[in-house]
Amino acid sequence: MKKPLFPIKIFKLSYPKTKIEAFTDGTYLWNKEKYTVIAGLNLLYDNFKEKDISNLDSKSFTTGAYVQHTWDVSENIKLENGLRIDNVNYSNPNF
């Protein structure tokens, strides 16, 4: 059997680490005969820490708000538009 030109090696990483993640989203829906509006808020939290190697630690916290409008112009035509804004806080020892 012929050896592959570029063998793939898979490394098993086994170092002490902790990862905490959280996500929540709340939406409100207004539904009328010809249009639908969806508005909402969301939060996302992520925290990764290593016990021995601190240069890979990272933390992020994101808050967001959005609104989307769908207009049923006819049976075959739907128009959608929306707006989203996010505030992202990210920290990492490398940058």
Side-chain angles (χ1 to χ4, degrees), residues 19-83:
K19 183 163 179 83
I20 299 171
E21 291 182 324
F23 175 81
T24 187
D25 185 273
T27 59
Y28 190 79
L29 171 74
W30 294 276
N31 200 7
K32 298 293 183 181
E33 186 177 328
K34 292 280 189 182
Y35 68 90
T36 302
V37 175
I38 300 171
L41 301 169
N42 68 335
L43 301 170
L44 174 65
Y45 176 78
D46 181 55
N47 189 355
F48 179 79
K49 289 197 180 286
E50 291 194 51
K51 188 172 183 178
D52 298 328
I53 309 170
S54 65
N55 66 344
L56 295 178
D57 292 355
S58 66
K59 184 187 288 188
S60 69
F61 184 71
T62 304
T63 56
Y66 56 90
V67 63
Q68 176 183 322
H69 176 257
T70 304
W71 176 32
D72 298 338
V73 179
S74 70
E75 182 70 28
N76 297 322
I77 299 174
K78 315 282 188 219
L79 295 177
E80 291 187 357
N81 58 45
L83 177 67

